[in-house]
Amino acid sequence: MTITRDLIAARNLDFARTMELEYSGDPLALDGASISMQVRLYGRAPGAPLAEHLGIEFTDASHESEAGWRVLSVFPHIDKAVLVAMPTGLNQPEVGEADRYSYEMKLTYADGAQDRLWIGTFFLEPGVDNT
């Protein structure tokens, strides 16, 4: 069920997205489940993540127009202050280009089983407007 999708954030704004995963069949067993997201320099990078959101809010509902399908909506958020503090220049971008990191969003069921929902590159642009 893993989706590979690159995400784009900017250092001058909170990162806040609505991500939707459509799936067919019975509803997932989400009672007592949690969703988390970590951003690291690269996959399996040692130490603490550069950014993370534990306990991401989510909803799971029937699809509006497709019978037998459901939509898992996930609402990750990373504060601007965390993004500003992330290291820059590690991937040697040109001036004004985005820094490149890796992220993973994981669903942990009440019984401890896990599914990777989204993975990919987390691009962090410098941003322009500092108002």
Side-chain angles (χ1 to χ4, degrees), residues 1 35 125:
M1 163 156 69
I35 297 177
E125 297 178 340

Side-chain angles (χ1 to χ4, degrees), residues 5-9 15 17 19 37 76 103 105 118 120-124:
R5 177 179 174 197
D6 294 341
L7 299 177
I8 299 173
F15 172 80
R17 298 284 184 275
M19 301 175 72
M37 175 183 177
Y103 83 94
M105 200 172 304
W118 285 276
T121 301
F122 188 88
F123 290 101
L124 184 54

Side-chain angles (χ1 to χ4, degrees), residues 45-94:
L50 299 173
E52 72 179 337
H53 183 175
L54 305 174
I56 296 173
E57 292 184 33
F58 63 89
T59 62
D60 184 51
S62 297
H63 196 284
E64 290 180 4
S65 60
E66 298 292 329
W69 282 78
R70 300 190 61 79
V71 179
L72 176 64
S73 299
V74 180
F75 311 99
H77 183 274
I78 300 173
D79 289 332
K80 173 183 168 181
V82 173
L83 298 172
V84 167
M86 289 175 62
T88 186
L90 300 173
N91 307 112
Q92 299 180 349
E94 295 292 326

